[in-house]
Amino acid sequence: MNSSQRTPKTSGSILREGVRLISSGVAGQLVALILLSIVGRQYHEETMGVLGSFLSWGGLLAIIACGRYEQGIVVATRREESNLLYHLALRIALYFTIGVLLPLSLCGGLFLSATTPLGWTIYLLPLYVLLLAWYNASAQWLLRQQQYKRLAQMQLIKGVGNNLLKVLFGLLSATVGSLIAAQLLSIFAPYSLFAQALRKGLRKPTEGSVIQVAKQYQGFPRYGLTQALVDNLLGSLLILMLPLQFSSREVGFLTMAIMLGRRPLQLISENLGSVYFERMSKQVRERAPLRPMVHKLIALTLLFGIPLALLLAHYMTPLVTLVVGERWTWSAYIITWMLPMLIPNFATSILNVLPDIFGRQKANMTAQIVMLVFDLVVIVAGFSFFTFEQFIPYFYLLITLEQVIYLLFLLYFVWHYERTRVVS
């Protein structure tokens, strides 16, 4: 069977599995949104600001924890290699947490708790990072096994459980401790779905060499790790730097804006992106075309994204007030200016695995570093000249332009692949 005959089946499969993951994510987000309406009325802006800082630092460290080897699980050409990479990612995360994060947290905790918005929550970062790193690695392993149903269940439990626990703990005490406890338990709750895989992954491999596979896929920690860190920083740099100029209250508004505006869309793109990652990897291994799949994604993103963004921008303030209360109207203002950026960002968050698939991590890393430097300059300049109200549109309009340029950069990989595929 030739590649053109296989394409319709692959496209239909992507749609079917993507819908399965997205539908569970959307269902979870609807429940989470209802619960978030209670959370927004329970917790104060400053409290949400501490949570935003905790999640940003934890997400950044969780990427370092696995050395980015978890991304190789899906790309690996042989099942044995993917199993070895899973084992390697779990072990590295454990050693990094115990050997680096835990001592750093204990030794520097007093200083960091007094000088950062994290406060005493710095002591819980190692546990959060380990749980999140193992969760992410196990999700990639299940993706390689094409266990989409289980992945959907994991997302549902994690998403709904997070806000449900926030509400329950908030009834007892609406504090930072309640928010962090809910975050930790919501990551731990889905562990029963991949406990068996986790036990196998932590066992010493009986065949193959972990060192050999680590060297074979060294591009992931060498280039992919830096790229992933930069990518994460691109999404969280503002929330990490905001306390340098503004109070925890403004950080809280931004955190709520991300929860309401960016995170639901991010969940959809992550679920759809997981399916695209596995299927695009397969297409490239078989030298099948990628262009129809990618062009369809871009067309649908623009077709639905632009009208939806215009509609939401018009009604954003009453919508946010209805959902989480009048105290969060600043979050509505932030989301309104965030919307243009979310359209190209949706596509780039799905297609940013293309450099990993084509082994072009170095080129992507360079592009990401340029973007990070640009963001840093934009933020520092904005802090110098603008009030918070003026800073928000200034920042997000420039980031929208940046995301459009990055999308064109990723599409170049598809164009180059199609050209060389046809020639060969």
Side-chain angles (χ1 to χ4, degrees):
M1 183 181 291
N2 58 37
S3 60
S4 62
Q5 290 174 306
R6 281 193 300 266
T7 304
K9 182 178 178 180
T10 302
S11 301
S13 178
I14 287 177
L15 180 62
R16 183 176 62 254
E17 303 301 351
V19 167
R20 175 182 291 179
L21 286 174
I22 292 171
S23 60
S24 68
V26 169
Q29 279 298 310
L30 288 175
V31 178
L33 192 62
I34 295 171
L35 295 171
L36 192 59
S37 66
I38 304 174
V39 172
R41 290 168 172 84
Q42 285 179 314
Y43 297 91
H44 292 291
E45 300 92 321
E46 292 83 358
T47 308
M48 296 298 294
V50 176
L51 175 67
S53 296
F54 181 87
L55 296 180
S56 296
W57 282 109
L60 196 66
L61 292 169
I63 292 173
I64 300 173
C66 287
R68 207 53 177 169
Y69 276 114
E70 79 280 5
Q71 286 296 98
I73 295 170
V74 178
V75 178
T77 55
R78 295 186 298 114
R79 182 182 290 268
E80 293 80 7
E81 289 179 356
S82 68
N83 292 337
L84 285 168
L85 286 167
Y86 181 43
H87 169 85
L88 183 62
L90 295 177
R91 285 296 177 95
I92 290 176
L94 182 62
Y95 297 153
F96 175 76
T97 304
I98 296 175
V100 179
L101 281 187
L102 194 57
L104 187 62
S105 175
L106 294 174
C107 296
L110 291 175
F111 173 76
L112 292 172
S113 63
T115 57
T116 67
L118 290 172
W120 63 268
T121 63
I122 189 76
Y123 298 109
L124 294 177
L125 263 180
L127 177 59
Y128 176 74
V129 169
L130 181 62
L131 288 175
L132 185 59
W134 279 10
Y135 177 95
N136 292 339
S138 299
Q140 292 296 320
W141 190 83
L142 292 175
L143 179 62
R144 173 62 186 241
Q145 312 305 314
Q146 297 185 337
Q147 296 187 31
Y148 299 108
K149 184 178 180 180
R150 188 157 292 186
L151 278 171
Q153 292 171 342
M154 286 167 56
Q155 291 279 7
L156 188 63
I157 293 172
K158 182 170 174 281
V160 174
N162 189 3
N163 281 343
L164 179 60
L165 288 170
K166 285 175 184 173
V167 170
L168 294 177
F169 292 158
L171 293 174
L172 300 174
S173 177
T175 62
V176 172
S178 297
L179 290 175
I180 303 301
Q183 205 70 41
L184 290 169
L185 289 173
S186 66
I187 299 176
F188 183 74
Y191 264 53
S192 60
L193 295 174
F194 54 85
Q196 186 176 3
L198 201 60
R199 284 195 296 270
K200 289 181 180 178
L202 286 171
R203 270 186 223 150
K204 189 174 181 180
T206 55
E207 56 182 77
S209 170
V210 176
I211 296 177
Q212 184 178 353
V213 82
K215 289 181 179 179
Q216 183 179 347
Y217 290 87
Q218 62 182 316
F220 287 95
R222 179 179 293 179
Y223 303 122
L225 178 58
T226 305
Q227 177 250 309
L229 284 173
V230 174
D231 187 49
N232 185 276
L233 274 172
L234 286 169
S236 60
L237 186 64
L238 180 59
I239 207 167
L240 291 173
M241 292 189 65
L242 211 61
L244 299 177
Q245 179 69 15
F246 303 104
S247 68
S248 295
R249 192 165 177 263
E250 280 77 19
V251 180
F253 287 133
L254 180 59
T255 301
M256 182 59 76
I258 292 171
M259 287 182 174
L260 288 171
R262 185 173 179 177
R263 196 148 292 162
L265 193 63
Q266 189 177 18
L267 180 63
I268 294 173
S269 66
E270 283 176 358
N271 288 328
L272 188 59
S274 295
V275 181
Y276 260 81
F277 184 26
E278 191 273 328
R279 296 311 163 108
M280 288 192 298
S281 298
K282 183 179 179 183
Q283 290 288 94
V284 171
R285 286 197 299 267
E286 297 177 352
R287 301 299 293 174
L290 278 180
R291 186 180 296 168
M293 190 189 312
V294 173
H295 281 190
K296 187 175 183 180
L297 171 67
I298 301 299
L300 290 174
T301 300
L302 296 176
L303 183 63
F304 288 100
I306 294 175
L308 184 60
L310 292 172
L311 182 65
L312 287 174
H314 186 69
Y315 295 103
M316 187 54 65
T317 300
L319 278 173
V320 170
T321 302
L322 177 66
V323 174
V324 290
E326 292 184 2
R327 74 166 63 157
W328 299 102
T329 51
W330 269 107
S331 296
Y333 176 76
I334 296 171
I335 297 171
T336 301
W337 287 105
M338 189 188 293
L339 287 171
M341 180 273 296
L342 293 176
I343 298 172
N345 180 256
F346 178 79
T348 58
S349 62
I350 294 173
L351 298 177
N352 64 3
V353 296
L354 284 169
D356 287 333
I357 294 173
F358 293 119
R360 299 295 303 276
Q361 292 100 332
K362 186 176 181 179
N364 192 44
M365 180 184 70
T366 304
Q368 296 270 20
I369 291 173
V370 170
M371 291 166 63
L372 182 61
V373 172
F374 175 77
D375 286 10
L376 187 62
V377 171
V378 167
I379 291 173
V380 172
F383 284 174
S384 302
F385 296 107
F386 301 119
T387 64
F388 183 72
E389 182 178 5
Q390 296 167 332
F391 175 82
I392 293 301
Y394 153 82
F395 174 78
Y396 279 111
L397 288 177
L398 286 175
I399 299 306
T400 300
L401 177 62
E402 176 191 82
Q403 287 295 308
V404 170
I405 295 173
Y406 183 54
L407 177 59
L408 295 174
F409 170 78
L410 293 174
L411 291 177
Y412 169 78
F413 290 111
V414 178
W415 174 82
H416 184 266
Y417 166 74
E418 293 291 339
R419 194 168 136 230
T420 55
R421 185 185 67 84
V422 172
V423 171
S424 59

